[in-house]
Amino acid sequence: MARSIARKAAMQLLYERLSGGDADHDSLELVYEQLSKERPEGSGVLNPSDDERAYISEVLSGVEEHQQELDQSIESHSTGSWSLQRVPHVDLSILRLAAYEMFHRSDVPDNVAISEALNLSNQYSEPKSTRYINGVLGAMEREKNEDK
């Protein structure tokens, strides 16, 4: 459960960065405050653990470091004429996060990265976006497995 919460926070910070924000320590605290409000009454305030902070930091720096590679893979696996400029920022943030986990995090199985991306999409995006994200990530996974 803690990784899912950290993943939500990472996605929101990727979105903030994509939209011109800093995605700094203060942003992380605000994201966790907002995530606390989504919990059932009486569940308490969420505070990122050291492991969650490390994961989020690694995702943010990893996506930034590998962004060109991730974006090329996302665009090449997109159906039709979907350029990255047409992809809504929230969907692109989810795709970058999942692609980063699939290709650069050996501790995250591909099926978990895809499943979590679809959960994020169901929560933060449009139904048609969930189908698009599933298609792109599924194509990326198939190609990755063919290369083995």
Side-chain angles (χ1 to χ4, degrees):
M1 179 70 150
R3 177 60 65 93
S4 291
I5 293 169
R7 192 175 277 108
K8 280 184 183 183
M11 185 280 295
Q12 290 182 25
L13 292 171
L14 288 170
Y15 174 83
E16 179 182 328
R17 201 179 264 174
L18 185 59
S19 300
D22 294 329
D24 58 10
H25 173 77
D26 291 337
S27 297
L28 177 61
E29 297 302 321
L30 286 172
V31 165
Y32 266 80
E33 181 180 321
Q34 186 61 38
L35 290 172
S36 294
K37 291 177 183 177
E38 293 176 10
R39 296 170 55 123
E41 291 288 325
S43 295
V45 176
L46 292 170
N47 291 305
S49 68
D50 290 343
D51 287 344
E52 290 170 327
R53 286 180 188 277
Y55 166 81
I56 293 165
S57 178
E58 289 168 16
V59 166
L60 292 175
S61 62
V63 167
E64 184 174 11
E65 179 183 344
H66 300 285
Q67 184 172 321
Q68 185 175 6
E69 165 206 334
L70 298 173
D71 287 353
Q72 286 174 348
S73 185
I74 292 165
E75 196 161 30
S76 71
H77 292 92
S78 293
T79 55
S81 60
W82 279 88
S83 66
L84 289 183
Q85 290 73 28
R86 288 189 62 200
V87 177
H89 284 185
V90 69
D91 298 346
L92 185 54
S93 300
I94 293 167
L95 283 165
R96 284 176 175 167
L97 170 59
Y100 173 72
E101 286 186 329
M102 289 171 65
F103 293 102
H104 298 284
R105 296 282 308 207
S106 60
D107 63 327
V108 181
D110 291 350
N111 63 328
V112 171
I114 294 170
S115 176
E116 290 288 329
L118 297 178
N119 289 338
L120 289 169
S121 179
N122 284 327
Q123 184 171 0
Y124 295 103
S125 199
E126 302 287 324
K128 65 181 180 177
S129 293
T130 301
R131 291 189 302 271
Y132 169 72
I133 289 169
N134 188 39
V136 171
L137 295 176
M140 291 168 71
E141 180 186 32
R142 283 188 296 279
E143 184 177 284
K144 178 182 172 186
N145 290 333
E146 287 172 3
D147 292 343
K148 286 185 178 180

